[in-house]
Amino acid sequence: MADSPLDPSQDLPGPPRAGDDTDRRRGSTSSEPYSAMTGRFNWGFRWFARRFFGHFHLESSAVDRLRTLESAGAVVYVMRYSSRLDYFLFNTLFLREGLRLSRFANGFDFFFCRPLREAVPLALRRPRARPREVEHGEERRIARNLVRRGDSFFLFLRTTQRAQFSRRRARLREDELDLLLEVVRGVWDSEEPVSVVPLALFWRKGPRAENRFLNLNYGSITRPSDLAKVTSFLATYRSLSVKIGESIDLSSFIASRRSEGPVRVARKVRRSMLLYFYREEKVVEGPTVRTRHRVLGQIIQDPRVKLAIQERAARYGGKVDRAERDAEKLFFEIAANMNSTFLAALAGVAGWIFKRMFASIEVEGLEKVADFSRWDPIVLVPNHRSYFDFLIISWLFYVNYLVPPHIYARDNMAFGPFGFLFRRAGAFFARGRFDDPLYKEIFRSYVAYLVREGFTQEFFIEGGRSRTGKTLAPRFGMLSWDVDAFVRSSRRDLFFVPVGLTYERLVEEGSIVSQQKGAAKEKESLVGLVRAGKFLQRRFGTAHVNFGEPLSLAEALGSRRREFAQAGPGERDAEQREFVESLAHRIVEKINAATAANATAVAASVLLGSRTAGMRLVEFTDRMSEVVELLRLQDVQLTKALLADDGDFGDCVGFLERAGLVRVTEGVEDAVIFFEENSRQALDLYRNSIVHFLAAPSFMARGLLAGGLSREALGEEVNGWLELLYREYFVPPADTLSAHCTAFLDFFEARGWVETDPGEGLQATPLGRGPLEGIAAQTEGVLEVYRCLFEVIRQAEPRFRRREILEEATAVFERSRLVGETSRVEALNETTLSNALDLLLHEAVIKVDPQAPVHPREVELSRGECWDRLAELGERLAGALSAG
């Protein structure tokens, strides 16, 4: 065997590196010539690399990390299964980045990619087929020697072809483990550092379907054939992504486990590699997408669904077949039908649309979401401002190699051909009402299936789009389904990820403002979407997507998970509803915290904080800087455009002018920025996206303008207002807020807006009255609306209808505006009026008549146990308004 080119006892020169002339002259034959990477390809492979690999580069941070590992010693690259195409790609990338080339790879030959003058002699000298034991013994010696010499090589954990029998697969799997064991033995008594680096290679995006042809892009139980791999590659090569995992320092790994022996250590290293591959594949592809008929089979076997079918059959006179057909029809009405081909097409279309409509889409925190999804399923919970919300999130997931979410949507979105497309993009649909017991159980079981299988989900906790820009009160339906499914599953955890979306300008601005002024909401339709094509001719600035800190459901439940799971029908329902409500409010708080502030929102708050429709441009920029500083004190995420424009805010003013929201008069030093009255509602829409950040400083400013409070009393005053108006702003509890309030007051004092009188407490200075009034005005409109509604209810009959009260409160507000008693007309909308009613219901000032009609607008109300508190609340509002 000494004469064999495979003989590892030959003298091996130093490690080959890209661009090494010596290595090129020798063609790397001094290592293992038949599988080693080459420094130069023949013309066919050179063309293929330029044509199909030219668009891809390794990240500079990954290259630097690999160079550091190379300088320390041997590097063993580990991949799940062998592939000449993947190996060829890494050969190309290593050459391009100047990384050390691999001297050996198990599972195949690679010499044919060399120039002919090197490949032909190697082919002629190729040993004939030899016993597997002999060939594998040589591979083991090569691996051992390369490790000891500090070289680089590839080790594939699976080299078996699909067509090979299971007995042969098992034998080769042991061979592959033997190679890893040889690496461990080569380091066992050595002090030379050896790094084991997992590599995951993905050729396409989206979920992997069950039994899908050409489903070869993420790794599999056995190695696909080269022909199948290349065929799949040619259709998907532009979706290439390489994940270079964290290396294992094999010497340290062995030192901490030396007592277990080399065999067990090798198995643990292999298990670590397989776990890494599993986690990376799980992030990109998610669980296997089964056919809907397979899923239906699981749903039908759910005991509660079976019971509902039996009850339906009893209504049909015992006809179970008919009830099962109903169940099947309802399932297909609900279920998503996610498809990678459609996702790829939709991603291309969506990317083109976004490029035309938005200057950019800024993203924060997506890497954190990917890290969490490696271990447990996640549920995305975004705010809802635009129909583009779910499209942007799904598109971001797809282009960043994360499996897009299954999206809970109302059935009004399942119209025309777009329902077909949305369903294949991952949408599953729900009716507005769950009054059919069979439908309810099938929907519950389907959500349980998504949780059980670990699919990423997404739902809008506000229910529908916010027409005011503020975060709406949460709906508990979908959240309760997920909590119930998790409690009854074996999942370790389920994470809710708050997502804050903001737009410099909303695509639907015109229709939302029209609805606020009384226009009827247009029903979703194909015609409406076709008409929306005109928006492709306009630009809407930047969209910002911020993924907040995930919330662990297992941690939130604690010991209650077991109690809820073991409870029988009807038991602990009230306690579980209370938990869901509390969890929903925590999620809404986190959504608010994740919302980024853009220049449009800050400018709108400044303009609406003024008593007049305009102000000097110099004063406007000063007020903008002050609001930005208040946001910074709360660690609010600021958009890149806002940070870059901080100072003169010229870009912001220009954008607002082009959008038609403001106008600027001629002049340099005396220019005035102002808005027309018909833009007031639109400005309020943008201001409300950050109004929850301004609520605490606003109530503090109001207290300072009234004067006479100590620091402690002022803090209590602010906390009292935020607690009272929690369902308006969803600001977290006082202990979270106290540090911010201290920072606000220090900021006001540093600006000279506040002074402390030993006998009178904190007072606003003449210098500070103007800016403090602008800050106080951020909540003034809400207080005016609340006061009007409280006054209407105080004068109403003991029993009254919700609709009539809202209409009368609107009329009272309009009359008050005419005589100057109210001025913030932008705050008058059904959302604010409804929030005021909900406050009185929560405080037991009024109550709902359970016998009243079920439609929300026709609910009948009456005086509650704490009716006397209404007068106190009215006086409190009047006092606050007079102070501001």
Side-chain angles (χ1 to χ4, degrees):
M1 300 301 297
D3 297 333
S4 171
L6 287 173
D7 188 355
S9 63
Q10 298 182 70
D11 181 38
L12 299 179
R17 187 175 292 278
D20 190 326
D21 292 336
T22 301
D23 180 67
R24 289 187 178 187
R25 286 195 302 271
R26 297 183 181 183
S28 294
T29 57
S30 55
S31 52
E32 197 290 291
Y34 295 102
S35 64
M37 288 182 176
T38 180
R40 186 173 58 183
F41 301 115
N42 61 44
W43 68 269
F45 279 81
R46 286 200 304 272
W47 173 86
F48 192 95
R50 286 196 300 268
R51 173 64 179 82
F52 295 107
F53 297 158
H55 68 288
F56 187 77
H57 297 271
L58 293 175
E59 294 183 359
S60 58
S61 59
V63 172
D64 293 341
R65 183 154 55 92
L66 294 179
R67 286 201 180 110
T68 301
L69 296 178
E70 287 179 356
S71 64
V75 180
V76 181
Y77 295 101
V78 179
M79 296 188 71
R80 179 190 285 278
Y81 63 84
S82 62
S83 164
R84 290 182 178 88
L85 182 62
D86 296 351
Y87 193 62
F88 175 32
L89 169 66
F90 280 110
N91 195 159
T92 304
L93 295 177
F94 284 7
L95 281 170
R96 190 180 298 164
E97 302 295 346
L99 293 169
R100 192 164 64 199
L101 301 182
S102 166
R103 291 265 189 148
F104 164 71
N106 63 313
F108 53 70
D109 290 334
F110 194 62
F111 67 92
F112 49 80
C113 71
R114 298 174 181 275
L116 291 179
R117 61 187 177 87
E118 297 177 7
V120 172
L122 285 172
L124 295 175
R125 295 201 310 269
R126 184 76 169 95
R128 295 183 179 182
R130 295 166 299 170
R132 184 184 65 84
E133 292 76 10
V134 174
E135 188 168 344
H136 183 58
E138 292 179 351
E139 289 180 343
R140 292 173 61 184
R141 287 192 293 274
I142 290 173
R144 181 175 62 249
N145 284 349
L146 291 174
V147 166
R148 289 174 176 173
R149 293 185 56 84
D151 283 331
S152 296
F153 66 95
F154 272 60
L155 196 159
F156 300 103
L157 298 182
R158 290 172 180 160
T159 59
T160 315
Q161 292 285 340
R162 285 179 177 270
Q164 292 171 329
F165 293 103
S166 59
R167 182 178 299 176
R168 175 162 172 73
R169 287 204 300 267
R171 187 171 66 244
L172 290 182
R173 188 157 54 246
E174 290 300 318
D175 290 349
E176 292 145 10
L177 179 60
D178 283 347
L179 289 179
L180 190 56
L181 175 59
E182 204 61 48
V183 172
V184 171
R185 284 174 173 162
V187 186
W188 196 262
D189 297 319
S190 171
E191 296 182 358
E192 294 296 325
V194 175
S195 302
V196 180
V197 180
L199 300 176
L201 188 60
F202 304 99
W203 293 103
R204 72 173 178 85
K205 307 164 187 173
R208 178 169 60 187
E210 194 174 36
N211 298 325
R212 180 186 176 88
F213 180 64
L214 299 182
N215 194 8
L216 314 168
N217 304 283
Y218 305 106
S220 56
I221 296 176
T222 56
R223 178 173 72 89
S225 69
D226 290 327
L227 176 61
K229 182 75 178 183
V230 172
T231 303
S232 177
F233 159 75
L234 291 175
T236 58
Y237 70 94
R238 291 199 177 276
S239 298
L240 176 63
S241 175
V242 171
K243 302 289 182 69
I244 300 177
E246 291 298 324
S247 62
I248 292 179
D249 182 348
L250 196 54
S251 299
S252 300
F253 194 87
I254 290 173
S256 62
R257 298 167 177 81
R258 188 172 294 275
S259 61
E260 301 179 23
V263 175
R264 291 195 64 182
V265 169
R267 290 185 181 277
K268 287 193 173 183
V269 173
R270 184 177 187 273
R271 190 180 303 118
S272 297
M273 296 295 103
L274 289 174
L275 181 61
Y276 168 79
F277 296 136
Y278 168 75
R279 297 298 180 192
E280 290 300 325
E281 292 162 11
K282 180 176 180 290
V283 169
V284 176
E285 67 178 22
T288 299
V289 176
R290 296 181 174 86
T291 65
R292 291 204 293 172
H293 282 91
R294 287 283 303 274
V295 179
L296 173 63
Q298 293 190 34
I299 300 301
I300 295 298
Q301 295 304 313
D302 186 314
R304 290 162 69 174
V305 173
K306 283 184 174 181
L307 180 60
I309 290 175
Q310 292 172 4
E311 293 174 351
R312 177 67 65 91
R315 289 168 46 192
Y316 292 152
K319 297 180 180 179
V320 177
D321 290 346
R322 182 177 176 183
E324 288 180 345
R325 286 196 299 272
D326 284 355
E328 181 177 349
K329 181 179 179 182
L330 293 174
F331 170 80
F332 286 113
E333 178 185 329
I334 294 168
N337 192 18
M338 186 178 280
N339 180 279
S340 292
T341 303
F342 278 92
L343 282 173
L346 291 173
V349 174
W352 176 79
I353 291 174
F354 297 154
K355 188 174 181 180
R356 291 185 65 89
M357 295 181 63
F358 300 111
S360 64
I361 297 178
E362 298 178 6
V363 187
E364 297 288 340
L366 188 57
E367 301 84 1
K368 178 170 51 183
V369 174
D371 289 340
F372 275 87
S373 65
R374 286 183 174 90
W375 303 96
D376 298 289
I378 59 174
V379 180
L380 304 173
V381 192
N383 56 6
H384 201 6
R385 300 294 175 267
S386 168
Y387 283 131
F388 285 90
D389 294 342
F390 77 93
L391 291 173
I392 288 175
I393 291 176
S394 292
W395 177 77
L396 285 175
F397 267 57
Y398 185 83
V399 298
N400 285 283
Y401 287 86
L402 298 170
V403 62
H406 279 64
I407 308 164
Y408 169 83
R410 287 286 303 277
D411 57 0
N412 63 326
M413 293 299 296
F415 59 91
F418 290 93
F420 174 86
L421 294 176
F422 293 157
R423 204 180 288 275
R424 278 153 183 76
F428 62 99
F429 297 97
R431 296 174 179 175
R433 302 177 66 177
F434 285 69
D435 47 6
D436 181 344
L438 180 57
Y439 180 89
K440 179 179 179 180
E441 289 302 331
I442 290 175
F443 189 88
R444 178 201 58 77
S445 184
Y446 183 71
V447 173
Y449 164 79
L450 296 178
V451 172
R452 185 171 62 250
E453 294 295 316
F455 287 98
T456 297
Q457 296 178 57
E458 176 186 342
F459 69 88
F460 296 102
I461 200 167
E462 298 167 279
R465 286 180 303 152
S466 171
R467 266 69 171 184
T468 64
K470 285 185 292 190
T471 301
L472 304 178
R475 304 287 182 88
F476 307 131
M478 187 60 193
L479 182 60
S480 65
W481 296 120
D482 274 325
V483 170
D484 185 70
F486 173 73
V487 162
R488 300 178 189 281
S489 75
S490 58
R491 279 283 168 192
R492 187 188 70 169
D493 209 343
L494 181 68
F495 285 91
F496 292 98
V497 181
V499 187
L501 293 103
T502 51
Y503 300 84
E504 284 190 324
R505 193 174 185 199
L506 279 168
V507 177
E508 303 94 334
E509 175 193 300
S511 63
I512 290 176
V513 170
S514 296
Q515 290 171 35
Q516 291 284 42
K517 293 180 178 179
K521 178 182 180 295
E522 292 186 8
K523 185 178 180 181
E524 288 78 10
S525 66
L526 177 61
V527 174
L529 284 181
V530 171
R531 289 175 180 171
K534 64 183 180 181
F535 293 117
L536 295 177
Q537 310 301 320
R538 301 164 63 183
R539 300 284 282 180
F540 295 89
T542 298
H544 194 284
V545 186
N546 192 24
F547 295 89
E549 190 64 31
L551 192 156
S552 164
L553 181 54
E555 182 180 328
L557 280 167
S559 62
R560 285 175 292 189
R561 179 179 184 179
R562 178 177 299 179
E563 297 170 1
F564 291 161
Q566 295 175 348
E571 298 178 7
R572 295 187 176 275
D573 284 354
E575 186 177 347
Q576 188 163 333
R577 282 195 298 271
E578 183 180 345
F579 169 79
V580 169
E581 181 176 351
S582 174
L583 179 65
H585 288 146
R586 287 180 62 189
I587 291 173
V588 170
E589 290 172 8
K590 285 180 171 288
I591 292 173
N592 274 349
T595 304
N598 58 38
T600 306
V602 174
S605 67
V606 170
L607 291 168
L608 293 177
S610 173
R611 291 290 177 186
T612 58
M615 59 177 64
R616 301 286 182 187
L617 193 56
V618 174
E619 181 186 1
F620 170 78
T621 56
D622 288 343
R623 297 290 175 266
M624 287 275 289
S625 295
E626 291 159 4
V627 173
V628 168
E629 187 59 31
L630 288 174
L631 297 173
R632 282 198 174 107
L633 292 175
Q634 301 173 72
D635 300 318
V636 176
Q637 180 75 41
L638 306 178
T639 62
K640 295 177 182 177
L642 178 58
L643 290 171
D645 206 22
D646 193 0
D648 62 1
F649 297 102
D651 291 341
C652 167
V653 173
F655 177 79
L656 294 175
E657 277 193 288
R658 291 190 297 275
L661 294 173
V662 303
R663 295 174 61 186
V664 181
T665 64
E666 298 284 341
V668 179
E669 295 183 358
D670 60 346
V672 173
I673 183 171
F674 66 99
F675 62 90
E676 303 287 354
E677 191 61 26
N678 59 9
S679 297
R680 182 178 288 275
Q681 297 282 20
L683 290 171
D684 185 59
L685 181 66
Y686 297 113
R687 187 264 303 273
N688 283 343
S689 67
I690 62 169
V691 73
H692 52 279
F693 294 127
L694 302 177
S698 177
F699 289 118
M700 178 173 283
R702 196 169 293 280
L704 292 170
L705 290 168
L709 296 174
S710 65
R711 278 178 170 264
E712 294 75 14
L714 182 61
E716 292 176 1
E717 176 83 1
V718 172
N719 289 335
W721 278 111
L722 294 177
E723 181 180 351
L724 181 69
L725 300 178
Y726 176 78
R727 287 163 176 76
E728 187 71 44
Y729 299 111
F730 295 104
V731 175
D735 55 348
T736 306
L737 185 67
S738 57
H740 289 159
C741 287
T742 300
F744 298 150
L745 190 54
D746 291 342
F747 172 72
F748 295 158
E749 289 180 329
R751 291 270 176 160
W753 297 350
V754 179
E755 62 183 6
T756 304
D757 188 311
E760 300 293 334
L762 295 168
Q763 300 283 345
T765 65
L767 175 65
R769 293 201 68 85
L772 287 175
E773 286 175 355
I775 297 170
Q778 305 305 320
T779 55
E780 185 172 340
V782 167
L783 298 182
E784 289 180 346
V785 172
Y786 276 50
R787 184 181 65 174
C788 285
L789 183 126
F790 289 1
E791 183 62 23
V792 168
I793 291 179
R794 189 180 66 83
Q795 298 178 8
E797 297 294 328
R799 304 180 70 85
F800 47 87
R801 290 190 181 275
R802 182 182 185 276
R803 175 179 53 81
E804 295 169 353
I805 285 295
L806 296 184
E807 292 174 353
E808 179 61 23
T810 301
V812 168
F813 188 95
E814 291 290 351
R815 290 196 295 270
S816 299
R817 183 179 63 84
L818 294 175
V819 297
E821 294 175 354
T822 58
S823 58
R824 306 292 177 177
V825 65
E826 67 274 7
L828 181 62
N829 52 67
E830 186 171 348
T831 298
T832 307
L833 289 167
S834 296
N835 289 342
L837 269 180
D838 289 342
L839 168 62
L840 296 182
L841 287 167
H842 182 263
E843 296 289 327
V845 174
I846 58 176
K847 61 183 180 181
V848 177
D849 183 353
Q851 304 301 321
V854 294
H855 193 282
R857 292 185 61 85
E858 298 300 327
V859 168
E860 192 163 299
L861 305 165
S862 60
R863 297 177 180 181
E865 297 176 358
C866 301
W867 173 258
D868 293 341
R869 190 155 187 262
L870 182 60
E872 174 194 337
L873 292 173
E875 292 175 4
R876 186 174 177 182
L877 289 168
L881 288 168
S882 63

